[in-house]
Structure formats: structure tokens, C-alpha cells
């Protein structure tokens, strides 16, 4: 790796550190897809899937206590992405619930509360609309595993819980700013270690001293493309991503078009990752293969961090185009060799003196 390339990498990591600090403070783009369009897509998908709550549409409405008019349960489900019977898991240290009815809290009457510990699963038992509540008009009744019932503001509830689905929890974990900092540190350590190895042993690493397999380059590019697309959905279609977060699926053809593309990229990462491991094992010895795969993981982690963060600020788009061009051009250049050194057996771009061992090849 050249000194200029190493300095550029350090500058890119510092820039990513700067933007990661305000990762969760980024507001959606003013050019995003209108919420009405996203909600229409969600509603249509629910009707196609014959969602249990969509069957209530046109037949009966849920009239929650505290509201003066009937509220369509499907409309609430589409807008808020959950409804009665939805399961959450407590992710904070504790979830504080009110024993009394919401009216008592709104009217500043004496109340008491109880807590639900971290990791406990809870379920939405009821929802009430309190128009005269200045803090939050939506109150949610939660039922615990011990059959205890309590109330909490929706805005506070959603900050302290995750949907119970394992995929939702995985998404929540990888959206955590602390994990992003951890991945950045690991990537710096991994790349620093590999640069040292390359300088000493000329070890193989993707994009720099790559092997004659297209899969590692393709995997790194798809990770970068997936990260940029993931950030783009959050930026331009936040409600679509929120719906997927609450109701995830691994089926790439059961979601709106944007999520279909994203899931196809995720499956492509898995398939190409398996092909990469198989090809690396075939081309390199065990120790070299492990070192190469470790470097590939570090590069993929770096791509995920850089493009998922910088795309939120539009920097990721030109950077992605440049990266794809650089990665494919470098691979084609490195693998356009048609000659082999008669002394050391390594590939050559042209006849003449071997740059590896110095032997002359006619």
C-alpha cells in the first residue's frame, strides 16, 4: 500500500468518525418519498397478505377509551407499524409502567408504578388516545410475562423496547452508535495489522495484493452497495424502513420494491460470501487463507461503516461510484497477466525481468 493511499485511508476514517458522532441526529431528507405514498404501499401489502387486522377494516372499528371518535385500527397499524397483540422486548435497564389509568396521570392525580427488567418480553394490550395530554396523546397498555398490566406514553415506550423478532433486534444492534465506534476501531486495528503483514511478507489482501478470484472483490463491492442502499432507504423512505423494522422478512419478494432490492443484495452477500470462502481455501494455504479472509472481513466492515454513514450526508454516492470503478479496474488490471515467470512461477504483465525475483524471461 502506498503512503498516499494510507494517508487517504486515515483521512477517510477520521471523516467517518466525525459523522458517526451525529449518526442518530441526522434528520430525513427533504426530498424523501411522501409518507402518504409509503403508507399506501404498506396498506396494500397488508391487504394482499390478509393481515388479521386488515380484516377488521370495513367490518368493525376499535374505539379506544379517551377518544371522542372511532379510530380505524388498520389506519393506526399502518401509521404506527404496530397494534394490539404486538410483542416487544425491553432493551433498556428497565421499563417503568403506570399502575393507574392514563386519565389519572393526565389530571395529576396520585399514581404509582412498577418496572419491567431488561430482556423481558411484553405485549401491547390496549391503546388509548388522550387529546388533552400535552406530552403525548397516545398511551399504550403493556402486559408482562407475569400478567401485570401498566400504561406508558408511546414516545417513551418505543425508545426503551425493540420488536421481539430476532431480525428486528439484529437491525437494532447494527444501528447502535456504540457498535459503529467498535467496528471502526476493529477495522483500524485489522487494516493496520494487515498493512504491516503486507510490508513484511507481501501477504494477499483484497484490492491491494489480491488473488486470482473475482468473488472477494465482488463481495466487498456488494457490501458497500448494500450499506449505501440501506442508508438511502432510511434517508428517502424512513416509513418504509420502519415498517420493515417492525415486521421484517427474509423473503425478497414480499416487501415494497426498495426493500426487495435491499433483500436481494443481502442474499447476494451471503451466497457470494460462501463462494469466496470456497475459492480462497482452494487458492491459498490454510494460514494464508485465514489471513486473507480476516483482511476481507476488515475491508467489508470498513465499507459498511463508511457507506452507511456517509451516504446519509450524500457524500457516499460519489464515493461509491469511485470505489466501484477503482475496485473493478484494479481487479481487471491485476488479472490481465498472461505470462508466468520461469523461475519463481509468479504472474507477469509482460516478458522481461521479473519484478519478484529478478529473473529474465524471454
Amino acid at each position: 500500500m502506498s503512503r498516499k493511499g494510507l494517508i487517504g485511508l486515515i483521512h477517510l476514517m477520521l471523516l467517518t468518525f466525525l459523522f458517526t458522532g451525529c449518526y442518530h441526529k441526522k434528520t430525513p431528507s427533504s426530498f424523501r418519498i411522501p409518507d402518504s405514498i409509503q403508507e399506501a404501499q404498506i396498506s396494500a401489502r397488508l391487504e394482499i397478505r390478509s393481515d388479521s387486522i386488515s380484516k377488521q377494516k370495513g367490518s368493525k372499528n376499535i374505539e379506544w377509551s379517551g377518544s371522542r371518535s372511532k379510530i380505524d385500527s388498520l389506519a393506526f397499524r399502518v401509521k404506527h407499524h404496530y397494534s394490539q397483540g404486538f410483542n416487544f422486548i425491553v432493551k433498556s435497564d428497565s421499563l417503568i409502567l403506570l399502575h393507574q389509568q392514563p386519565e389519572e396521570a393526565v389530571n395529576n392525580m396520585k399514581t404509582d408504578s412498577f418496572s419491567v427488567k431488561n430482556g423481558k418480553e411484553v405485549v401491547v394490550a390496549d391503546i388509548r388516545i388522550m387529546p388533552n395530554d400535552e406530552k403525548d396523546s397516545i398511551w399504550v397498555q403493556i402486559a408482562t410475562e407475569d400478567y401485570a398490566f401498566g400504561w406508558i406514553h408511546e414516545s417513551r415506550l418505543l425508545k426503551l423496547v425493540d420488536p421481539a423478532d430476532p431480525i428486528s433486534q439484529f437491525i437494532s444492534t447494527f444501528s447502535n452508535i456504540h457498535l459503529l465506534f467498535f467496528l471502526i476501531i476493529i477495522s483500524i486495528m485489522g487494516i493496520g495489522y494487515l498493512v504491516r503483514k503486507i510490508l513484511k511478507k507481501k501477504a494477499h489482501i483484497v484490492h491491494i495484493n489480491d488473488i486470482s478470484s473475482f468473488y472477494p472483490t465482488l463481495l466487498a463491492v456488494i457490501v458497500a452497495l448494500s450499506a449505501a442502499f440501506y442508508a438511502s432507504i432510511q434517508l428517502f423512505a424512513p416509513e418504509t424502513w420502519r415498517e420493515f423494522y417492525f415486521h421484517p422478512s427474509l423473503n425478497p419478494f414480499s416487501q415494497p420494491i426498495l426493500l426487495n432490492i435491499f433483500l436481494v443484495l443481502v442474499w447476494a452477500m451471503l451466497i457470494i460470501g460462501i463462494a469466496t470462502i470456497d475459492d480462497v481455501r482452494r487458492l491459498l494455504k490454510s494460514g494464508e487463507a485465514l489471513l486473507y479472509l480476516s483482511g476481507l472481513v476488515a475491508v467489508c466492515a470498513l465499507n459498511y461503516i463508511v457507506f452507511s454513514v456517509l451516504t446519509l450526508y450524500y457524500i457516499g454516492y460519489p464515493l461509491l461510484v469511485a470505489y466501484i470503478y477503482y475496485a473493478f479496474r484494479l481487479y481487471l488490471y491485476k488479472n490481465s497477466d498472461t505470462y508466468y515467470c520461469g523461475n519463481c512461477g509468479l504472474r507477469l504483465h509482460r516478458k522481461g525481468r521479473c519484478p519478484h525475483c529478478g529473473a529474465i524471461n524471454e
Side-chain angles (χ1 to χ4, degrees):
M1 179 182 289
S2 66
R3 180 175 296 179
K4 290 183 178 179
L6 184 58
I7 294 174
L9 177 62
I10 294 173
H11 286 166
L12 182 61
M13 295 299 293
L14 291 175
L15 182 64
T16 306
F17 258 119
L18 176 65
F19 283 111
T20 302
C22 51
Y23 180 73
H24 288 286
K25 297 179 182 179
K26 181 71 176 75
T27 55
S29 169
S30 58
F31 302 101
R32 66 180 184 177
I33 298 174
D35 289 346
S36 58
I37 296 178
Q38 299 179 68
E39 291 172 6
Q41 293 176 343
I42 295 169
S43 180
R45 186 174 64 87
L46 289 176
E47 291 177 349
I48 292 174
R49 293 174 54 192
S50 298
D51 191 277
S52 59
I53 198 166
S54 68
K55 296 177 181 178
Q56 300 173 8
K57 185 179 181 182
S59 60
K60 62 179 181 178
N61 296 319
I62 298 177
E63 183 176 2
W64 289 311
S65 302
S67 65
R68 296 183 178 180
S69 61
K70 294 183 177 180
I71 301 176
D72 185 8
S73 58
L74 177 62
F76 184 90
R77 157 65 181 83
V78 170
K79 189 173 183 62
H80 295 259
H81 309 288
Y82 72 94
S83 59
Q84 289 172 316
F86 191 85
N87 293 314
F88 289 106
I89 287 184
V90 179
K91 69 175 181 180
S92 63
D93 293 335
S94 63
L95 178 67
I96 307 300
L97 299 176
L98 183 70
H99 268 302
Q100 285 74 20
Q101 298 299 310
E103 293 85 352
E104 298 181 46
V106 172
N107 293 313
N108 296 319
M109 299 176 65
K110 187 177 181 180
T111 59
D112 61 338
S113 59
F114 66 99
S115 63
V116 183
K117 294 182 179 179
N118 175 275
K120 293 292 185 179
E121 187 166 345
V122 296
V123 62
V124 176
D126 194 9
I127 302 169
R128 289 187 184 178
I129 307 299
M130 306 292 295
N132 57 335
D133 191 339
E134 297 179 356
K135 293 183 179 179
D136 185 357
S137 62
I138 302 176
W139 282 81
V140 182
Q141 187 184 42
I142 295 298
T144 70
E145 297 174 345
D146 303 323
Y147 302 102
F149 292 82
W151 292 89
I152 186 173
H153 282 121
E154 180 196 50
S155 56
R156 180 166 176 75
L157 171 69
L158 297 181
K159 293 178 181 178
L160 304 177
V161 297
D162 283 329
D165 191 285
I167 300 175
S168 300
Q169 295 174 52
F170 180 83
I171 293 171
S172 177
T173 299
F174 271 80
S175 300
N176 190 297
I177 190 170
H178 300 293
L179 180 65
L180 288 176
F181 276 119
F182 174 76
L183 288 177
I184 290 174
I185 294 172
I186 291 297
S187 298
I188 293 175
M189 293 173 60
I191 292 175
Y193 172 78
L194 289 169
V195 168
R196 183 181 178 185
K197 283 287 185 181
I198 290 169
L199 294 176
K200 287 188 174 181
K201 298 183 178 180
K202 295 183 179 180
H204 292 283
I205 183 171
V206 66
H207 300 328
I208 300 173
N209 184 26
D210 211 348
I211 60 177
S212 58
S213 172
F214 182 58
Y215 291 122
T217 298
L218 185 59
L219 179 61
V221 168
I222 288 181
V223 169
L225 187 61
S226 301
F229 201 81
Y230 156 75
S232 299
I233 297 176
Q234 290 186 319
L235 190 62
F236 298 110
E239 289 303 314
T240 299
W241 180 256
R242 191 169 175 82
E243 170 68 13
F244 180 73
Y245 171 64
F246 275 81
H247 302 274
S249 171
L250 294 179
N251 182 357
F253 306 108
S254 65
Q255 303 289 333
I257 183 63
L258 293 177
L259 292 175
N260 287 347
I261 297 173
F262 174 72
L263 289 172
V264 167
L265 290 173
V266 170
W267 278 107
M269 274 194 292
L270 177 62
I271 295 170
I272 295 172
I274 295 173
T276 299
I277 295 173
D278 183 66
D279 234 17
V280 171
R281 288 178 59 236
R282 180 178 59 85
L283 294 172
L284 298 176
K285 296 179 181 179
S286 299
E288 293 179 349
L290 182 60
L291 182 62
Y292 181 86
L293 290 174
S294 300
L296 181 59
V297 170
V299 170
C300 288
L302 177 64
N303 286 351
Y304 165 75
I305 296 165
V306 169
F307 290 102
S308 64
V309 174
L310 296 187
T311 299
L312 293 174
Y313 302 88
Y314 309 104
I315 302 173
Y317 296 113
L319 187 63
L320 178 64
V321 173
Y323 174 70
I324 293 174
Y325 173 77
Y326 164 79
F328 287 145
R329 184 175 182 275
L330 195 61
Y331 174 80
L332 292 174
Y333 173 77
K334 291 287 186 181
N335 289 273
S336 62
D337 308 327
T338 55
Y339 302 102
Y340 291 88
C341 177
N343 182 45
C344 64
L346 296 177
R347 290 189 177 193
L348 302 174
H349 292 289
R350 62 185 66 85
K351 292 181 180 180
R353 183 179 296 278
C354 174
H356 306 288
C357 66
I360 302 297
N361 294 270
E362 299 294 338

